Amino acid sequence: MALFVVMSVFSGLKDFSLSFSNDFDPDLKAVAKTGKTILISPQQETEISKLEGVAHYSKIIEERALFTFNGKDLLANIKGVDKNFNQVNQVEKTIFQGQWIEEDSEQVVVGHGISQKLSMGLFDLVNVFETFVPKPGKGTIDSPDGAFNRSVLVPVGFYFINEDLNQKYVFADLSIVQELLAYKPNQISGIELKLKPNADESNVISSLEKILENNVVIKNRAQLNESLYKMLNTENLVLYLIFSLVITVTLFTLVGALIMIIIEKKSNLKTLFNLGSDIEDLRKIFLYQGFLICFLGCLIGLVLGIIVTLLQQQFGFIMINESMAYPVRFSFTNVFIVIATIAVLGFLASWIASSRVNKKLLE
């Protein structure tokens, strides 16, 4: 019961942790294999839009930039997006104040963390929100104006996802960022894609690589958050091993109980042995008995654990704070893991105890 409940709680916490990145990251993202940018032609865009399994796609530009507001400076990422971006990502839903940017405008949506660090408000007509990026090229720099491209931006919305992402991005229209970085109209950093339900991801990736002439690296959502997925999977494994160790220690009581039963039934075992029963057959009696005890304990514990998990999932009796219940998720995978764990450990414990039945004991 404890193993199943804790694994269900961790499954809920894992989903809760990934929900932030799931709202922000696309199903697939194609970025340049070498360098920072790729060139995409209208024909390639048409072919991408016709790909089976692709629901929507969006062209993006992402670059590190310096932002200034009211005498304060901050380094963050400026991300240029086109009109299809909100069909690929759910960032617009995370805006808690203001609105999303309009096409071909200098409007931007800023992360909550960035706005706090710059002490920024919306539609501030007194203080100017500016961004600077280094100009490409070679030669001697004579003045700051000759070293940086500059653009004046108008904050119209603040988004809130999590502490890390809130301090990372300023969203702007794609054309404004292309102009700021002196890019060509068909020059972008990457393409983000939203797949249709039940789409074959591997087929989409291979088709996309062919269309873009293998000049890109394509990553899915798990690969985009590789470190987060590794951390969560490692924590899940460690948690499982710790509780498996607890169950292993607990099963020593089963071993002791079976050995006591063997000693108690010693005279009966002698009788059966003298009547012609093999040692292996006598051992199987206690092997099956121990396994039956484990099976019944596992069944009762799983039923109780499932009831607790479903009640918490439905009604949220245990709260993290006043507005949020502790996240849990019922999973048949967890049911299978618990059954397999108890079956293996229970069989080993029963086998160890039943091996005490030998000729020396019967003599």
Side-chain angles (χ1 to χ4, degrees), residues 1 9 28 48 64 82 98 106 122 154 165-166 171 175 234 238 270 280 295 310 341:
M1 175 184 173
V9 169
L28 293 176
I48 292 173
R64 197 76 169 159
D82 63 12
E106 295 179 344
L122 295 180
V154 181
L165 293 175
N166 290 345
F171 290 95
S175 60
T234 302
V238 171
K270 283 185 177 181
E280 290 298 322
F295 177 77
L310 292 178
T341 302

Side-chain angles (χ1 to χ4, degrees), residues 198-256:
N198 303 320
D200 191 324
E201 185 180 279
S202 57
N203 285 343
V204 173
I205 291 175
S206 60
S207 300
L208 195 60
E209 287 176 340
K210 185 177 180 181
I211 292 172
L212 298 174
E213 300 173 352
N214 293 318
N215 292 325
V216 295
V217 175
I218 303 173
K219 295 183 178 181
N220 57 25
R221 185 170 288 158
Q223 292 168 332
L224 290 170
N225 297 281
E226 191 172 358
S227 58
L228 176 61
Y229 276 83
K230 281 184 178 179
M231 181 190 72
L232 292 173
N233 290 334
T234 302
E235 289 179 352
N236 196 13
L237 177 61
V238 171
L239 187 74
Y240 167 75
L241 292 176
I242 290 173
F243 268 82
S244 297
L245 178 61
V246 172
I247 292 173
T248 303
V249 173
T250 306
L251 284 174
F252 278 107
T253 60
L254 173 66
V255 175

